[in-house]
Amino acid sequence: MDVEEVKGLVQKPLAETAWQEQVTAVVRLLAAFAGGDPRQISGAAGEDDTLTLHLRGLWPRAIAQGVPLALGETVVQPHGPRPGQAADRLLRGILNSYVLALRDLTKLPQALYPRWRDIRQIQNQLLALQALLHQWRLDADAAPVRATLYGPVAAGTLHALQAGGVKVTQAKLAKPWAHGFLGDLPMPPIVVGVRSQGGKAGSGQQQEVLARAKHLASRQFARTRSAALSRGERPVLYGKTAVTDFTAFDLEFSSGNAREGMFITEIGAVKVRANHITDTFNAFVQVPARRHLNVYSQRVTGIHEDTLSRYGLPANIAIRQFIDFIGEDSLLGFSMHGGDLPVLRRQFNLYPQPYRLIDVAQLAKQAGPMPGSPEVSLTTYRHYLGLSLLAHGAVYDAVTTYALYAYLQEQARDPEALVAEFDQVFRATSLKDGDIN
């Protein structure tokens, strides 16, 4: 099949009427180009200018024509194209919505777990088509698009990428966590552009934050001689060697405009020895003078300014206690470059010691356990690992960071046993009366 012919057809402007038939035809063309089965592509126009596509034919041919797979194949495009919009622009949104659905295994049903390699081949096929559509939009002298595909890749996928000029890197894929497949059967249709509206703390989380803040014990730790965090600017050099004894941590913080600033509101950490939690640290932190806790941070975390005023520690005391709690441990966090490290730098001029810091998000990106999804959030991993913990609580997110690290080291903990262990240690070490009820 001639590449320039395919390129020309996918970039042809869509008609104002009967655009659904044109998009369906282009999808069939792409299926044929990438080794799919165009006969299994169908589209149905709705009365409200929608398009319902059945995309089984985009899957690698052996999977599309083989033993039936309990994977949803229906994608709904809820509105028509803009005037003069080309087919590939619409298709990139359709493909992206499907890729996002496959990326999060917590949205896939348990019945799909035995065929995870087939799922990955399908996702790699769709990622390849996205890369091709992007490549064909570039100028002739532009650098080629590069695509990283995790796990098994169908021969037709590789052939299409080579013919289309995309540079591909194949990476190893970690076997997924069986407990992480939490979706329902039958799978619901995927609607283009519709995303989860989660991320806000409910009244239950706000009440839990207040109760926990009221009952935290006052603790003292021996002054460390070799802190993992210390003052003075230096490059961030991550550790790469697996560790068995470490502290996993997380920060909640407020960031906003000049009036609100960027400052820590909660610090949470768990100390791990031989794959078991042995100690915990949790502190709420007062708002700095002449600063204001923004509404978004309160909404997401359930931490309110009044709670910090009544039960928070002064920032310099909280950070000193945290550093001493870490001691000489390696320090594990999740995607720290985007928030935790900047706030430590801006508020306290603290930088990690070379090679004492391990970013578990980077390890997850390399292994692709979701699979192959570097943008996956810690909240999603919490669901994936089956942990019944609140989101956006620093001490709970520290537990999730540890659980994810254990999983990546092929030492995954049973989620119920891990939560029970944390609860027991937390009550014994961090609560003044052993309870927050």
Side-chain angles (χ1 to χ4, degrees):
M1 185 176 293
D2 182 70
V3 174
E4 290 302 317
E5 179 184 359
V6 176
K7 178 180 175 181
L9 289 173
V10 300
Q11 293 179 354
K12 183 178 179 180
L14 293 167
E16 292 186 17
T17 59
W19 62 271
Q20 294 97 332
E21 290 86 345
Q22 190 175 346
V23 168
T24 303
V26 170
V27 175
R28 290 189 180 118
L29 180 69
L30 286 175
F33 182 73
D37 185 358
R39 296 171 300 176
Q40 297 196 57
I41 299 290
S42 64
E47 295 181 358
D48 50 353
D49 203 32
T50 64
L51 170 63
T52 300
L53 280 168
H54 298 281
L55 298 180
R56 181 184 296 270
L58 273 185
W59 305 352
R61 183 178 291 267
I63 299 173
Q65 296 180 339
V67 177
L69 184 64
L71 178 66
E73 60 186 76
T74 303
V75 177
V76 177
Q77 173 63 41
H79 53 76
R82 298 188 301 272
Q85 186 176 35
D88 64 339
R89 299 291 191 185
L90 211 61
L91 280 174
R92 284 171 68 176
I94 292 171
L95 293 172
N96 187 59
S97 293
Y98 202 102
V99 166
L100 289 175
L102 295 185
R103 184 181 75 179
D104 183 357
L105 297 188
T106 65
K107 292 184 172 65
L108 300 182
Q110 186 72 224
L112 292 175
Y113 174 71
R115 297 189 63 182
W116 69 277
R117 292 181 63 83
D118 289 339
I119 301 299
R120 192 60 222 182
Q121 278 202 50
I122 293 169
Q123 189 175 15
N124 282 334
Q125 174 89 324
L126 301 181
L127 287 168
L129 292 174
Q130 284 185 294
L132 286 168
L133 294 176
H134 185 194
Q135 176 70 48
W136 291 339
R137 279 283 170 182
L138 298 180
D139 295 333
D141 58 348
V145 171
R146 296 182 178 274
T148 300
L149 304 181
Y150 291 84
V153 183
T157 305
L158 290 175
H159 177 77
L161 289 170
Q162 182 179 15
V166 174
K167 299 295 184 182
V168 62
T169 299
Q170 291 184 254
K172 183 181 178 180
L173 176 70
K175 187 174 182 179
W177 177 242
H179 300 291
F181 289 72
L182 303 173
D184 298 325
L185 275 175
M187 291 179 62
I190 298 164
V191 181
V192 176
V194 174
R195 296 191 178 185
S196 170
Q197 299 300 310
K200 297 181 181 179
S203 59
Q205 183 161 340
Q206 296 170 27
Q207 294 168 6
E208 191 278 341
V209 165
L210 179 60
R212 182 157 42 92
K214 289 171 62 176
H215 290 82
L216 286 176
S218 176
R219 302 185 66 190
Q220 298 295 326
F221 305 97
R223 183 61 61 94
T224 180
R225 296 183 178 180
S226 179
L229 298 169
S230 59
R231 297 184 185 277
E233 183 174 353
R234 63 180 67 85
V236 178
L237 301 174
Y238 290 105
K240 298 180 180 180
T241 303
V243 291
T244 57
D245 297 344
F246 55 85
T247 296
F249 85 106
D250 185 74
L251 304 176
E252 299 298 336
F253 55 88
S254 175
S255 59
N257 54 34
R259 176 170 174 259
E260 294 163 344
M262 187 175 190
F263 53 86
I264 294 171
T265 57
E266 184 190 0
I267 305 171
V270 294
K271 196 170 286 290
V272 176
R273 296 291 181 266
N275 208 23
H276 287 280
I277 296 174
T278 60
D279 201 354
T280 65
F281 177 84
N282 194 198
F284 292 91
V285 187
Q286 295 175 4
V287 177
R290 297 180 297 279
R291 294 296 184 186
H292 174 69
L293 181 58
N294 65 38
V295 174
Y296 175 78
S297 296
Q298 297 180 58
R299 185 181 301 137
V300 169
T301 65
I303 302 172
H304 287 257
E305 195 160 331
D306 180 63
T307 301
L308 299 180
S309 298
R310 295 170 62 188
Y311 303 109
L313 296 174
N316 62 325
I317 294 177
I319 200 67
R320 182 71 256 172
Q321 288 185 2
F322 173 52
I323 289 172
D324 291 339
F325 175 80
I326 299 167
E328 299 187 6
D329 277 4
S330 294
L331 190 59
L332 273 64
F334 184 90
S335 196
M336 294 165 286
H337 66 280
D340 291 351
L341 293 184
V343 72
L344 287 168
R345 180 174 65 247
R346 290 174 60 177
Q347 190 174 3
F348 302 105
N349 190 33
L350 286 174
Y351 290 78
Q353 290 287 351
Y355 309 112
R356 293 276 295 280
L357 192 67
I358 295 176
D359 192 336
V360 181
Q362 289 186 0
L363 301 180
K365 178 180 178 180
Q366 294 165 9
M370 285 302 288
S373 308
E375 301 88 359
V376 170
S377 69
L378 193 59
T379 298
T380 301
Y381 278 121
R382 175 173 55 84
H383 286 295
Y384 177 66
L385 295 168
L387 300 172
S388 55
L389 298 167
L390 287 176
H392 301 298
V395 69
Y396 303 128
D397 284 350
V399 175
T400 302
T401 299
Y402 153 53
L404 178 58
Y405 182 72
Y407 164 79
L408 293 170
Q409 298 300 316
E410 298 184 352
Q411 296 179 343
R413 297 289 306 275
D414 174 80
E416 291 186 6
L418 175 57
V419 171
E421 177 179 278
F422 161 72
D423 185 65
Q424 180 181 16
V425 176
F426 183 65
R427 291 174 185 274
T429 60
S430 291
L431 299 182
K432 55 190 175 185
D433 53 10
D435 202 352
I436 57 175
N437 296 322

